[in-house]
Structure formats: structure tokens, C-alpha cells
């Protein structure tokens, strides 16, 4: 939509456990067109999940572990959703 210029807070589902994957939801009105959405996390200290480009800038292009960059997701016109490779 705007290449990550704006973000909205999502509601976190229970249980919310330290260092665990947590489901979230965000009401969103989709116009039926193909688009890419992104999700990112902010922890209790205020650290915001970095972009893939920021990780490459710090770690180099050949790192393999701890790829915690922002996740893009492609929403197709038929409603299917796929992971977008970094």
C-alpha cells in the first residue's frame, strides 16, 4: 500500500508468552486487488523488528541464522496468501 510508511497496531491473541510466537489480528478492509502487506513486531523494550535490508547491511548478504526481518505477504486477487521471499 505505502511501502511501510505507516503501521497499525494489531491485537495480540492469548496466550502471550515470552520468546514465543503469538498470533495477532487486525481488522482490514481489502479492496480485492493483489497487494503486499507486511507484519513486524515490537518487543516489551521497544525494539522494532528490522527490515531485511537493515539486517543485510549489518550482517552481510550471506548470513543464514536469526533472520528476523519484517515479513512481507502477497495477497492475491483470489484471496490466497503467500510468503514473499526476501
Amino acid at each position: 500500500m505505502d511501502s511501510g510508511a505507516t503501521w497499525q497496531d494489531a491485537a495480540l491473541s492469548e496466550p502471550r508468552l515470552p520468546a514465543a510466537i503469538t498470533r495477532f489480528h487486525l481488522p482490514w478492509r481489502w479492496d480485492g486487488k493483489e497487494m503486499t502487506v507486511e507484519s513486524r513486531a515490537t518487543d516489551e523494550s521497544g525494539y522494532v523488528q528490522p527490515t531485511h535490508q537493515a539486517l543485510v547491511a549489518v550482517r552481510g548478504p550471506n548470513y543464514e541464522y536469526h533472520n528476523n526481518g519484517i515479513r512481507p505477504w502477497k495477497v492475491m486477487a483470489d484471496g490466497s496468501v503467500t510468503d514473499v521471499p526476501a
Side-chain angles (χ1 to χ4, degrees):
M1 293 181 359
D2 63 7
S3 300
T6 59
W7 295 90
Q8 294 178 308
D9 288 338
L12 301 179
S13 300
E14 295 293 340
R16 295 186 218 168
L17 304 171
I21 293 173
T22 301
R23 290 182 179 260
F24 64 90
H25 60 278
L26 177 74
W28 170 55
R29 186 172 298 272
W30 177 49
D31 64 8
K33 296 177 186 172
E34 184 176 306
M35 66 182 317
T36 301
V37 296
E38 295 179 321
S39 59
R40 71 176 183 188
T42 303
D43 70 14
E44 63 277 350
S45 73
Y47 173 77
V48 177
Q49 188 174 8
T51 64
H52 177 74
Q53 294 83 359
L55 288 173
V56 169
V58 171
R59 298 178 183 167
N62 297 319
Y63 77 94
E64 295 182 31
Y65 301 102
H66 305 291
N67 180 0
N68 67 329
I70 293 171
R71 301 296 311 182
W73 303 94
K74 176 79 99 185
V75 180
M76 306 303 285
D78 67 2
S80 61
V81 178
T82 59
D83 183 27
V84 177

